Short mmCIF file of all heavy atoms in Angstrom, two decimals:
data_model
loop_
_atom_site.label_atom_id
_atom_site.label_comp_id
_atom_site.label_asym_id
_atom_site.label_seq_id
_atom_site.Cartn_x
_atom_site.Cartn_y
_atom_site.Cartn_z
N GLU L 162 -16.13 16.45 24.98
CA GLU L 162 -16.10 15.26 24.08
C GLU L 162 -16.80 15.59 22.74
O GLU L 162 -16.32 15.19 21.63
CB GLU L 162 -16.66 14.05 24.75
CG GLU L 162 -15.82 13.55 25.87
CD GLU L 162 -16.56 12.48 26.71
OE1 GLU L 162 -17.80 12.35 26.56
OE2 GLU L 162 -15.90 11.75 27.41
N GLN L 163 -17.92 16.28 22.82
CA GLN L 163 -18.62 16.64 21.55
C GLN L 163 -17.87 17.66 20.78
O GLN L 163 -17.86 17.66 19.55
CB GLN L 163 -20.02 17.16 21.92
CG GLN L 163 -20.96 16.07 22.43
CD GLN L 163 -22.30 16.59 22.88
OE1 GLN L 163 -22.46 17.80 23.09
NE2 GLN L 163 -23.26 15.72 23.06
N ALA L 164 -17.13 18.54 21.47
CA ALA L 164 -16.29 19.54 20.79
C ALA L 164 -15.18 18.83 20.03
O ALA L 164 -14.79 19.22 18.92
CB ALA L 164 -15.71 20.54 21.78
N ASN L 166 -15.39 15.79 18.81
CA ASN L 166 -16.05 15.18 17.62
C ASN L 166 -16.30 16.22 16.58
O ASN L 166 -16.04 15.97 15.36
CB ASN L 166 -17.44 14.57 18.06
CG ASN L 166 -18.08 13.70 16.99
OD1 ASN L 166 -17.56 13.63 15.88
ND2 ASN L 166 -19.14 13.08 17.35
N LYS L 167 -16.73 17.38 16.90
CA LYS L 167 -16.96 18.50 15.98
C LYS L 167 -15.63 18.86 15.34
O LYS L 167 -15.60 19.13 14.08
CB LYS L 167 -17.57 19.69 16.75
CG LYS L 167 -17.71 20.94 15.90
CD LYS L 167 -18.81 20.81 14.86
CE LYS L 167 -19.03 22.11 14.18
NZ LYS L 167 -20.07 21.99 13.07
N LEU L 170 -14.65 16.39 12.57
CA LEU L 170 -15.41 16.57 11.30
C LEU L 170 -14.94 17.83 10.57
O LEU L 170 -14.75 17.81 9.34
CB LEU L 170 -16.92 16.76 11.67
CG LEU L 170 -17.59 15.52 12.22
CD1 LEU L 170 -19.04 15.89 12.62
CD2 LEU L 170 -17.64 14.42 11.17
N ILE L 286 -31.66 14.34 12.73
CA ILE L 286 -31.14 15.50 13.41
C ILE L 286 -30.72 15.18 14.87
O ILE L 286 -29.80 15.86 15.39
CB ILE L 286 -32.16 16.67 13.42
CG1 ILE L 286 -31.49 17.96 13.87
CG2 ILE L 286 -33.36 16.32 14.37
CD1 ILE L 286 -32.39 19.17 13.72
N ASN L 288 -28.95 12.84 15.92
CA ASN L 288 -27.55 12.33 15.95
C ASN L 288 -26.56 13.41 15.51
O ASN L 288 -25.38 13.14 15.54
CB ASN L 288 -27.45 11.09 15.09
CG ASN L 288 -28.20 9.93 15.66
OD1 ASN L 288 -28.34 9.82 16.89
ND2 ASN L 288 -28.65 9.05 14.79
N HIS L 289 -27.03 14.56 15.03
CA HIS L 289 -26.09 15.56 14.53
C HIS L 289 -25.35 16.19 15.70
O HIS L 289 -25.93 16.55 16.72
CB HIS L 289 -26.87 16.59 13.76
CG HIS L 289 -26.02 17.40 12.85
ND1 HIS L 289 -25.22 18.43 13.28
CD2 HIS L 289 -25.78 17.34 11.47
CE1 HIS L 289 -24.53 18.97 12.26
NE2 HIS L 289 -24.88 18.28 11.16
N ILE L 290 -24.07 16.33 15.47
CA ILE L 290 -23.23 16.90 16.56
C ILE L 290 -23.58 18.29 16.96
O ILE L 290 -23.57 18.66 18.15
CB ILE L 290 -21.70 16.77 16.11
CG1 ILE L 290 -20.78 17.17 17.31
CG2 ILE L 290 -21.45 17.62 14.90
CD1 ILE L 290 -20.92 16.28 18.49
N ASP L 291 -23.97 19.14 15.97
CA ASP L 291 -24.35 20.52 16.30
C ASP L 291 -25.63 20.53 17.14
O ASP L 291 -25.80 21.41 18.02
CB ASP L 291 -24.51 21.32 15.03
CG ASP L 291 -23.17 21.62 14.35
OD1 ASP L 291 -22.14 21.52 15.04
OD2 ASP L 291 -23.22 21.98 13.15
N PHE L 292 -26.57 19.66 16.86
CA PHE L 292 -27.79 19.57 17.61
C PHE L 292 -27.54 19.08 19.02
O PHE L 292 -28.08 19.57 19.97
CB PHE L 292 -28.83 18.71 16.92
CG PHE L 292 -30.14 18.68 17.52
CD1 PHE L 292 -30.96 19.88 17.39
CD2 PHE L 292 -30.69 17.61 18.21
CE1 PHE L 292 -32.23 19.91 17.93
CE2 PHE L 292 -31.95 17.64 18.77
CZ PHE L 292 -32.74 18.78 18.64
N LYS L 293 -26.61 18.11 19.13
CA LYS L 293 -26.24 17.59 20.52
C LYS L 293 -25.58 18.71 21.32
O LYS L 293 -25.82 18.86 22.52
CB LYS L 293 -25.29 16.42 20.36
CG LYS L 293 -25.98 15.18 19.85
CD LYS L 293 -25.00 14.00 19.75
CE LYS L 293 -25.70 12.75 19.31
NZ LYS L 293 -24.69 11.63 19.21
N ILE L 294 -24.76 19.48 20.62
CA ILE L 294 -24.06 20.63 21.32
C ILE L 294 -25.08 21.62 21.83
O ILE L 294 -25.00 22.16 22.92
CB ILE L 294 -23.02 21.28 20.40
CG1 ILE L 294 -21.86 20.36 20.22
CG2 ILE L 294 -22.56 22.63 20.96
CD1 ILE L 294 -20.89 20.83 19.18
N ALA L 295 -26.11 21.93 20.95
CA ALA L 295 -27.20 22.83 21.33
C ALA L 295 -27.99 22.28 22.49
O ALA L 295 -28.38 23.02 23.42
CB ALA L 295 -28.09 23.11 20.15
N ASN L 465 -20.59 16.27 6.36
CA ASN L 465 -20.66 16.94 7.66
C ASN L 465 -22.10 17.34 7.99
O ASN L 465 -22.55 17.32 9.11
CB ASN L 465 -19.70 18.12 7.66
CG ASN L 465 -18.31 17.75 7.91
OD1 ASN L 465 -17.98 16.59 8.07
ND2 ASN L 465 -17.36 18.68 7.89
N ASN L 468 -23.90 14.56 9.10
CA ASN L 468 -23.22 13.99 10.27
C ASN L 468 -22.83 12.52 10.02
O ASN L 468 -22.92 11.67 10.89
CB ASN L 468 -24.17 14.05 11.48
CG ASN L 468 -23.35 13.89 12.80
OD1 ASN L 468 -22.40 14.66 13.04
ND2 ASN L 468 -23.72 12.96 13.63
#
Side-chain angles (χ1 to χ4, degrees):
E162 291 171 342
Q163 289 175 345
N166 192 353
K167 174 70 174 177
L170 293 174
I286 193 170
N288 292 331
H289 198 282
I290 185 63
D291 288 342
F292 189 69
K293 289 181 178 179
I294 290 174
N465 280 359
N468 199 55

